[in-house]
Structure formats: structure tokens, C-alpha cells
């Protein structure tokens, strides 16, 4: 029994977790979210349905976890933002990476599918906020707070608003395909936001 | 024949147009966009299917027109932005009106349905941009250009970017239900945008 719960067991569990999340991503990309079932995810991952239900309560929870996993480092830790002391450089790096992410066709289909669900399913939207958008926003806000302490942003700056102005235009441009997503665009969002919340 | 094409004919045509657009709005709100058919819109409006097809080529065209009609004045002219000379006051008025619009439950369901389609249908997205978002953006940009000429915005301000920073955060907050839509929020978007593009 001790071997059963040892390193081999952990590795097997992690492999099955990764297989399930990859299967969920692949299926949502190939089908529509509505058509994907927990059974289909289990079959694709080569695990039993119960293996999924032991870990996640619902299909939406698996899909959000699948999206979340894309933001994890190889060791399963969540991403933190660079803090070189140069706020503009750090934000430019993050925003250019975000533009690249949205320009990746497989990510595009997954996040478009998830976004359609979020729009129409307040429960999934709350889950997405709690598990993904929330922690990411907190990481970004921590970087802005450090800049605020260094006197690089106004001491009374509304950091939630600053984040929204930085990110929402990019997201909406991508969602409505209303303009090109370029590094120049990423940079101009950073510059306008820094001007709006300058000391 | 001359009476047939005279004022009575025009009034009848306009009444039937209004009935079709109201039926389209009602059905999209009650059902999902996918389930609504041109036949159902015709039946609800009390007109023949051909009456719709004589004017619009597709269901998506009718639905976009139905949404567009909400932005028309009573006389069918498109809305223009106020220009009192006070840029902040004019933008606050527009942004508060936009917040109110998004808070209206019937508008909420219609625009949420249309947005879901836009996200997944590039043709509908292009139509929406050409017929609705484009002209509205032009009206807003005309107001910003007049402010630029009056020295109230930087002469090199990117007005497309300014519009996106003004509007996208509000839209995304509504879409993802990620925060309250209040007049204070509308005002703070105006103030941050004015700071970002100040002379």
C-alpha cells in the first residue's frame, strides 16, 4: 500500500491529469463546448469517467482547468510577472506574450469556445474568474502595486481600472476581430495606460 | 398605382419593417439565435417570408438590423454625439447612457445573443462592424477629432486607441459580469482616457 501511494502513484496521477486536460482541450477545439461530454473526454484520455469525476465536479470545471493548465509552468506552479524594476519593459513583455497567445490558432479556438460559454453561463463565468482571471489579475496587480510603491504610478491610481484599460481593448479586438493584434498595438496599450495612471 | 407607391405605401412598408425588427428582437431574446428562423420572425411579425427576403438576404442581416434599429432616432436617422464644447461632459453623457443600455435586461439578452454569434461567425462580425459598430465609432471619433482641433486632446492622439480604451473595459465587464456597471465606473473610464490622451 505504501508503494501504491508513493512516487509512482503520484506520477501516474499527474500523467492521467495531463491526459484528461489535453483531451478536454482537443475536444473543445474540434467540437463545440456544448457537444463535448465527460464520457468523450474520458475515452480520449484513456481513463474511466469516474477518474474525472473524482477530481472535477462537472464538465465546465474540467474545461476551465484545461485552460488554466496552459498558464502553468512545467512544474505546475502558476506564472508570476517579471519585476525588473522597469515597469514599461515588464508590461510590454507581458502584453506582447498575450498578443502571441491570442494569435495561436489552437489557443484561439479553445478560448473562443470557453468565452462563448462564459457569456451565457454565469456559473462558469464565476468559476473562470475564481480559478483563472482572478489569480492572473492578482499577479498583474502585484506588479502594478510594486510600481506604485516605487513612485512609477500615481499613489491613488485605481489598479483594477488600470488592468482593465491595459487588457480589455486587446481582448475585445481579438473577440470581435476588429483590428490587427501586433506588438506595436501591445506597446501602445502599455504606453496609454502608463500615461493614464502616471504619478 | 400612384396611390400604391404614395405615402400610404411608405407608411405600410415602414410599419412592416418595424414589426419584423421587433419580432426578430423578441425571438432572439426568448430563444437562442440558432433556433430563430426567418419563418418564425415572419409569422410573429404577421408578414410573409418573402417580405423579409425582399429586404434582407439572411437571418443574420435581419438580426443585425434589429439591433441597429435600437440605435436609431424615431425618424430613422442614426444617432450623433453631443458636442457642447465640453469634451468630458459629452463623453460622460455617452458613457452613462451606454452603461444604462447594458443594464437594460431586454437589451442585455439581445446583445449577448448577437455577441455569441459575432464571436463564432466572422461574416456576421464583419456585417456588425460595417452597419453598427463602424458608424457608431465614426460618430464618436468625429467628437474626439473636434476636441483635438480645440486643443483638448493631444494632436498626435490615436483616436481609434482612445475609443477602445474608453469602451472596451465597459464591454468586457458586462460580457464577463466581472464587476458592477455604475455611473461612477463610466465617469472613471472617461477620466482615465482623457488623462491618457491629454495634450
Amino acid at each position: 500500500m505504501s508503494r501504491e501511494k508513493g512516487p509512482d502513484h503520484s506520477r501516474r496521477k499527474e500523467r492521467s491529469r495531463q491526459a484528461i486536460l489535453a483531451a478536454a482541450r482537443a475536444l473543445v477545439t474540434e467540437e463545440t463546448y456544448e457537444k463535448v461530454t465527460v464520457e468523450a473526454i474520458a475515452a480520449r484520455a484513456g481513463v474511466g469517467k469516474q477518474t474525472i469525476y473524482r477530481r472535477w465536479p462537472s464538465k465546465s470545471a474540467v474545461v476551465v482547468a484545461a485552460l488554466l493548465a496552459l498558464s502553468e509552468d512545467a512544474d505546475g506552479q502558476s506564472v508570476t510577472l517579471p519585476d525588473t524594476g522597469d515597469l514599461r519593459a515588464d508590461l510590454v513583455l507581458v502584453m506582447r506574450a498575450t498578443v502571441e497567445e491570442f494569435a495561436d490558432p489552437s489557443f484561439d479556438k479553445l478560448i473562443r469556445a470557453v468565452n462563448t460559454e462564459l457569456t451565457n453561463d454565469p456559473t462558469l463565468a464565476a468559476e473562470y474568474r475564481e480559478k483563472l482571471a482572478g489569480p492572473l489579475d492578482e499577479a498583474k496587480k502585484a506588479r502594478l502595486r510594486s510600481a506604485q510603491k516605487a513612485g512609477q504610478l500615481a499613489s491613488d491610481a485605481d489598479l483594477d481600472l488600470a488592468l482593465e484599460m491595459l487588457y480589455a481593448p486587446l481582448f475585445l479586438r481579438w473577440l470581435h476581430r476588429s483590428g490587427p493584434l501586433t506588438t506595436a498595438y501591445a506597446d501602445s496599450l502599455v504606453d496609454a495606460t502608463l500615461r493614464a495612471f502616471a504619478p
Side-chain angles (χ1 to χ4, degrees), chain A residues 78-100:
Chain A
S78 66
V79 197
T80 53
L81 257 66
D83 190 348
T84 64
D86 181 342
L87 178 62
R88 183 181 185 279
D90 292 349
L91 291 181
V92 158
L93 200 73
V94 169
M95 291 304 285
R96 287 183 182 188
T98 308
V99 162
E100 259 183 57

Side-chain angles (χ1 to χ4, degrees), chain A residues 58-109:
Chain A
S58 62
K59 176 178 80 170
S60 67
V62 186
V63 171
V64 169
L67 187 62
L68 185 62
L70 291 181
S71 307
E72 284 172 356
D73 289 331
D75 59 357
Q77 294 306 298
S78 66
V79 197
T80 53
L81 257 66
D83 190 348
T84 64
D86 181 342
L87 178 62
R88 183 181 185 279
D90 292 349
L91 291 181
V92 158
L93 200 73
V94 169
M95 291 304 285
R96 287 183 182 188
T98 308
V99 162
E100 259 183 57
E101 211 173 44
F102 279 113
D104 174 344
S106 68
F107 179 85
D108 179 279
K109 285 196 76 174

Side-chain angles (χ1 to χ4, degrees), chain A residues 90-140:
Chain A
D90 292 349
L91 291 181
V92 158
L93 200 73
V94 169
M95 291 304 285
R96 287 183 182 188
T98 308
V99 162
E100 259 183 57
E101 211 173 44
F102 279 113
D104 174 344
S106 68
F107 179 85
D108 179 279
K109 285 196 76 174
L110 179 65
I111 186 78
R112 214 170 273 281
V114 168
N115 187 75
T116 298
E117 296 316 308
L118 293 183
T119 302
N120 298 298
D121 182 344
T123 309
L124 186 63
E127 197 162 10
Y128 173 86
R129 239 190 341 275
E130 186 203 335
K131 301 267 178 64
L132 205 154
L136 270 178
D137 282 355
E138 280 313 310
K140 290 177 193 161

